[in-house]
Amino acid sequence: MADPKTLSDIANTRKTGFRVGLVGCGTAGACAVAGLAAHAMNFNSPGELVLIDRSENRWRGRAYQLDGDYILTNLPFGVMSIQPDDPEHGLRWARSRGLDVDPDLDGTQKFVPRAEFGRYLEQSVAEALAALEHAGWRVLRVDELAAELNMTGDGVEVRTDTGRRIIVDHLVLCVSDALYQDSYGLQGAQGYFIDPYPVAELVAGIPNCSDVGVIGSGLAAVDVVAGLHARGHRGRIDLFSRNGLLPAVRRRSTPVQPRTLTRATAIKSKLLSLTELVALAAEEVRAAGGDFDRFAEDFLRPEAAPQRLRRQLAELGTGDVTAALLQRALLDAAQDFWCALAEDSKDWLIANAYPHLMSWSSPMPRNNAELLAELIDRGQLNVWAGTAGVAVRDHGFTVQTAYGEVPVEFLVNTVTPARRGFPRKAHGLIDCAVRVGILRPHPRGGVDIDTATGYAIGGDGQVRHTVSVLGELTSGAYFFVTTVPLFVRRANHVAAAIAARSPSSH
């Protein structure tokens, strides 16, 4: 397929059909294109797709940009197909490239470099765009940033940072830019890195013999440790967080299928209390022969990071299905159960269990866990809880922990807030859309949406049937917004809703 035409090539282009504008061409945007292609024949007539974004990391997004081979996906390839009607698409692609993606005989799962998954995204979008064109659609590309949004007639006007004006019948807003939280006001300090990615560039600027601190102890912190180790780092590495929790260790592949914690159950549930949700989880696990009481105890157990890490590695061979079953339910129905939860239950989880929920719901691959255990055992890696402050000093920083002050020469930030704000690069765009009433902020972060369709909710509280929102901007509504399978499912729903409202002729 040839590259999509640019509007600069065909100035003042006229619409030839129902025009869908896609603002934000990262990972969520890739899933949106795949969803539209899957529903192309459900539109009443062929339309146009206008892709509006700069070309940097197009379709890969930040998560799957080019980086070191030690930066791995956190999910196996088998659940990461972006084709909503073809769950084996990703596996076939990976096998055709000779990638080692099938579990070992003992169920140990395999994970590929994220850059490889980025290549899959690029090629899958190329297929989807070709399918749209084959169905009679026209695809246009605008290599500019959207700067302003306005409602106009029955559609939406997008103004780019060059002043270009584009009218679309339906807008899909997929802007995303990881918002790392500068909790201690250190931006601009020498030796401080507010954003760890790409890790290969980060570690190239850090001397191998230096002492490095990492604020945060989640998956991004694990990536930094993997990058430093791959480059032969010899200095001390310290992870600092308030809770001292590392990601849980991903369990072996187990063929499980939830029967209680399903989307159907969630959709039928209204104002579900946390107690009721826990009872459903217990019912699910016990029916499958798992040990829910042990899982519940482990979930909030106060335990030092090294001991918890070693224990979880030792438990990989126990055969208990609990973690595998609940993590499968998370992929299938987490957003639906979040929507069904009562508001006070959501507030309690965010205030009291957010680190534990993230640790369990976003586990790390076994080989990363084994690397961390090895570095801890030889005294090169420390995990500190009770982080309370950071002071800038000559040639470095001093971090205050529950165990005293720890000096480091370099400090890498990996903290993302529980309540996400607007993406940095799109802050002006979203502020504009809020100001003119197209969007309204969600109290838990991002923007407000109709959770059934993905349509935006405007400042007047009314659903905007010409604006859909997908990806990290929906964090307040869905909470779980960082995994590809959830992007794919929501993109499929968004595409179906757009197709259902498309006119018979335009």
Side-chain angles (χ1 to χ4, degrees):
M1 171 192 154
D3 287 339
K5 294 181 179 179
T6 64
L7 284 182
S8 58
D9 295 334
I10 40 179
N12 302 317
T13 181
R14 295 178 63 84
K15 292 195 298 179
T16 60
F18 185 76
R19 178 178 281 180
V20 178
L22 179 65
V23 172
C25 296
T27 307
C31 296
V33 172
L36 287 169
H39 288 273
M41 303 311 295
N42 297 332
F43 283 79
N44 290 310
S45 60
E48 291 182 351
L49 176 61
V50 185
L51 309 173
I52 307 170
D53 201 356
R54 293 278 170 79
S55 58
E56 180 185 8
N57 292 324
R58 186 178 289 267
W59 310 128
R60 289 175 174 267
R62 296 181 72 263
Y64 303 105
Q65 64 185 306
L66 295 174
D67 209 334
D69 285 347
Y70 42 79
I71 304 300
L72 304 177
T73 61
N74 297 310
L75 286 172
F77 226 110
V79 298
M80 295 179 73
S81 169
I82 71 164
Q83 303 292 349
D85 53 356
D86 186 1
E88 298 292 313
H89 182 269
L91 272 181
R92 289 198 305 275
W93 181 90
R95 289 166 180 157
S96 74
R97 291 184 56 81
L99 297 178
D100 187 10
V101 292
D102 294 301
D104 287 339
L105 291 177
D106 67 355
T108 299
Q109 301 190 74
K110 306 292 183 61
F111 302 87
V112 303
R114 280 186 223 158
E116 281 291 345
F117 186 76
R119 186 171 291 109
Y120 165 68
L121 289 171
E122 290 174 336
Q123 295 184 11
S124 296
V125 171
E127 289 179 20
L129 293 176
L132 282 169
E133 290 187 329
H134 182 73
W137 282 59
R138 185 163 70 150
V139 180
L140 308 172
R141 189 184 69 221
V142 182
D143 289 329
E144 300 166 10
L145 291 177
E148 296 180 18
L149 300 178
N150 287 287
M151 302 301 294
T152 175
D154 294 328
V156 183
E157 177 189 86
V158 183
R159 287 186 181 269
T160 71
D161 55 351
T162 68
R164 190 186 305 278
R165 175 174 172 267
I166 305 163
I167 305 294
V168 299
D169 298 297
H170 194 100
L171 179 72
V172 183
L173 195 57
C174 300
V175 291
S176 176
D177 177 30
L179 185 64
Y180 288 95
Q181 181 172 297
D182 187 17
S183 303
Y184 303 103
L186 300 172
Q187 189 165 5
Q190 185 174 359
Y192 176 68
F193 302 87
I194 193 171
D195 185 336
Y197 296 106
V199 172
E201 292 183 9
L202 168 78
V203 299
I206 297 177
N208 283 346
C209 58
S210 60
D211 293 333
V212 179
V214 182
I215 302 176
S217 55
L219 288 173
V222 174
D223 285 344
V224 173
V225 174
L228 289 168
H229 174 74
R231 197 169 179 272
H233 193 79
R234 300 187 302 276
R236 196 182 74 244
I237 306 170
D238 295 285
L239 306 187
F240 302 101
S241 65
R242 291 186 175 93
N243 50 74
L245 273 176
L246 291 169
V249 182
R250 185 171 289 281
R251 294 301 183 102
R252 291 174 175 172
S253 176
T254 305
V256 291
Q257 190 61 45
R259 298 181 181 277
T260 301
L261 292 176
T262 63
R263 292 191 63 235
T265 303
I267 291 169
K268 288 188 295 185
S269 303
K270 301 294 182 185
L271 298 179
L272 199 65
S273 71
L274 191 56
T275 301
E276 291 169 327
L277 179 60
V278 170
L280 288 172
E283 178 186 342
E284 180 77 77
V285 169
R286 288 166 183 153
D291 189 343
F292 184 80
D293 293 336
R294 184 176 183 181
F295 169 81
E297 178 188 358
D298 182 52
F299 186 79
L300 292 173
R301 177 193 295 181
E303 186 176 18
Q307 284 71 34
R308 183 173 185 258
L309 176 63
R310 294 188 189 99
R311 177 175 57 79
Q312 290 184 346
L313 282 169
E315 290 174 351
L316 289 179
T318 63
D320 183 42
V321 301
T322 304
L325 188 59
L326 293 179
Q327 285 167 358
R328 179 73 240 186
L330 183 80
L331 283 179
D332 292 345
Q335 290 182 340
D336 303 283
F337 275 107
W338 183 260
C339 293
L341 269 179
E343 295 302 307
D344 60 343
S345 293
K346 295 175 183 177
D347 290 337
W348 189 92
L349 279 170
I350 292 174
N352 298 283
Y354 179 77
H356 301 81
L357 188 57
M358 290 298 99
S359 171
W360 171 77
S361 65
S362 302
M364 59 180 154
R366 176 179 178 172
N367 49 348
N368 278 351
E370 290 173 338
L371 169 63
L372 265 58
E374 175 190 336
L375 296 179
I376 288 172
D377 287 345
R378 70 187 194 203
Q380 186 179 5
L381 175 66
N382 304 294
V383 183
W384 302 93
T387 301
V390 181
V392 180
R393 62 179 179 84
D394 290 340
H395 309 297
F397 307 86
T398 299
V399 183
Q400 182 66 47
T401 77
Y403 305 91
E405 295 184 344
V406 181
V408 294
E409 296 166 81
F410 295 87
L411 199 57
V412 182
N413 179 53
T414 66
V415 176
T416 55
R419 300 173 189 266
R420 296 170 183 252
F422 299 152
R424 286 174 293 181
K425 292 180 181 178
H427 209 293
L429 172 70
I430 307 303
D431 278 347
C432 169
V434 169
R435 189 169 58 251
V436 300
I438 296 176
L439 304 174
R440 74 176 182 187
H442 192 286
R444 293 192 183 87
V447 300
D448 207 359
I449 61 168
D450 174 64
T451 55
T453 61
Y455 290 142
I457 295 178
D460 57 1
Q462 299 299 306
V463 173
R464 298 282 184 261
H465 293 101
T466 55
V467 180
S468 299
V469 187
L470 184 66
E472 291 184 13
L473 272 178
T474 64
S475 62
Y478 294 135
F479 189 70
F480 298 97
V481 292
T482 58
T483 62
V484 168
L486 297 178
F487 283 170
V488 171
R489 185 173 302 116
R490 289 300 164 189
N492 191 41
H493 294 166
V494 164
I498 298 171
R501 290 182 58 84
S502 64
S504 56
S505 61
H506 201 81

